[in-house]
Amino acid sequence: MAKPKKQAALGFIFITLLIDITGLGIIIPVLPKLIQTLIHGNLSDASRYAGLLTLAYSVMQFLFAPVLGNLSDRFGRRPVLLGSLLGFGIDYMFMAFAPSIGWLFMGRSIAGITGASFTTASAYIADVSTPEKRAQNFGMIGVAFGLGFIIGPVIGGILGKYSTQLPFIAASVLALLNAIYGYFVLPESLDEAHRRPFDIKRANPLGSLKQLGKYPAVLGLAASLFLIYFSGQAVQSVWTFYTIDKFNWNEAWIGYSLGFVGLTVAAVQGGLIRVAIPKLGQQRSILIGLLLYTIGLILFGIANKGWMMFAFIIPYSLGGIAGPALQGIITEQVPSNQQGELQGGLTSLMSLSSIFGPWIMTYLFYYFTKPDAPVKLPGAPFFLGALLMLVSAVLAVRSFKRNTN
């Protein structure tokens, strides 16, 4: 693919991810209230159901992400990506009109089955990137995530003032419009010459994870990446419940705080990594990033004023230099016609972390905030996340030493 076409393709994939993340961000501020309404329970009870909803999504994604990754190696990235966007649109509509908690679980399961947007987008970026630019281009996912979380939660917080269902309808419309947009403007990135036959033995979670073992340099770093994903669930799964419980925030303030998270993430992924990674090198960027993640999580857990959460978002977001650098090293070990499989395997790791992470983090929050809790400690999930970030750093250092021997 010629350079102008590569740049255009990266632009297309960026817009696609931006709309996708905006839709996800819209629903976050109102999800606790929706769950409380459907289960007729309190905030602690709702946090447990939120963890189980994420569990339903992640189990399905764990089972189907390798299938979709391998299908994208066989048929191309474009059709798989468009199918995933249609799945999200259906999911959000289920959630908007759910008469019971069971409907939420059904919608989340559908989204998990089709939820390959990040898997396929990562393979797409690998297709059109030179080795020296891959880490920077993977940062585009972080920029899309950041900007989507600037726009989405703020819109969701405002719409949530009028109706709990309205943010879900808006998210559904965005996902479906995104699919239409992609159908007309998103080019295919994997040409026929670089495709490979579909192999069902490799298109399953265990097979996909096993394929990671073919590359010794990938295995240890993939474990480090898994712990980053797992630790991140402390923020992703608990933020809304934690800030409501500790600071009595409403939907609007939750939206503003997540919008600020998005702003800082976009600044790091869109600007800082393009300077920091080439200057520091990938290995040092990973270690510094993991240390900043650790500090940020500890600070979240000890914050006793609402404004502190905004201040502590900064060191946590600066930790974002670790992810693209880690992905850059991993993709360098794998040939182009296996990038879809690799990303499917990495998504399976992310799904594994999302199977256990939200359940453990939300249960910790529930356990330490319920009326008969042995001690009131709503920040417990953040402290566990900080500990696991340190373990991730140890694994990364061991992998670096092994690869240099």
Side-chain angles (χ1 to χ4, degrees), residues 23-294:
L24 176 63
I26 284 174
I27 72 173
I28 292 176
V30 295
L31 190 59
K33 182 180 286 187
L34 177 64
I35 295 174
Q36 282 181 269
T37 301
L38 292 175
I39 67 171
H40 308 291
N42 59 31
L43 187 68
S44 292
D45 293 330
S47 70
R48 281 200 299 168
Y49 276 92
L52 291 173
L53 282 167
T54 306
L55 176 68
Y57 173 87
S58 300
V59 167
M60 290 301 174
Q61 189 180 64
F62 175 70
L63 294 174
F64 285 90
V67 175
L68 295 174
N70 276 265
L71 285 174
S72 79
D73 282 341
R74 172 63 183 88
F75 298 106
R77 318 301 185 197
R78 186 175 181 273
V80 176
L81 185 57
L82 295 180
S84 74
L85 296 176
L86 287 173
F88 276 121
I90 295 170
D91 167 41
Y92 294 139
M93 202 59 72
F94 263 98
M95 297 178 83
F97 298 104
S100 67
I101 193 71
W103 280 70
L104 289 191
F105 280 99
M106 188 182 301
R108 286 279 76 191
S109 297
I110 292 171
I113 291 170
T114 61
S117 57
F118 280 94
T119 304
T120 315
S122 296
Y124 195 109
I125 291 169
D127 290 339
V128 300
S129 302
T130 58
E132 61 272 12
K133 289 288 185 181
R134 273 186 184 158
Q136 293 180 32
N137 288 338
F138 275 124
M140 284 180 50
I141 296 177
V143 177
F145 185 91
L147 291 176
F149 264 83
I150 294 170
I151 302 166
V154 174
I155 294 174
I158 294 171
L159 293 178
K161 291 180 178 180
Y162 302 99
S163 166
T164 304
Q165 286 75 30
L166 195 55
F168 294 94
I169 295 172
S172 178
V173 170
L174 269 180
L176 295 175
L177 287 176
N178 195 8
I180 295 170
Y181 164 82
Y183 180 81
F184 287 106
V185 303
L186 187 67
E188 179 56 64
S189 64
L190 188 68
D191 58 45
E192 293 283 349
H194 288 92
R195 297 182 187 182
R196 63 176 178 82
F198 181 82
D199 183 358
I200 191 64
K201 292 180 181 178
R202 297 166 70 171
N204 66 78
L206 297 180
S208 186
L209 290 173
K210 187 178 179 181
Q211 291 302 314
L212 294 177
K214 294 194 308 185
Y215 309 98
V218 165
L219 204 55
L221 294 174
S224 178
L225 192 62
F226 168 80
L227 289 177
I228 294 175
Y229 291 144
F230 193 103
S231 302
Q233 291 298 330
V235 176
Q236 296 173 32
S237 302
V238 176
W239 185 272
T240 50
F241 298 97
Y242 179 78
T243 53
I244 291 171
D245 177 79
K246 198 163 187 179
F247 309 115
N248 200 29
W249 281 2
N250 59 21
E251 293 93 338
W253 274 106
I254 293 169
Y256 299 148
S257 68
L258 291 173
F260 187 63
V261 171
L263 181 64
T264 54
V265 168
V268 171
Q269 302 292 334
L272 182 62
I273 67 166
R274 296 180 180 274
V275 177
I277 293 177
K279 197 175 186 76
L280 296 172
Q282 290 178 323
Q283 294 187 9
R284 192 175 297 174
S285 296
I286 291 167
L287 297 179
I288 292 173
L290 289 172
L291 178 60
L292 288 167
Y293 271 145
T294 302

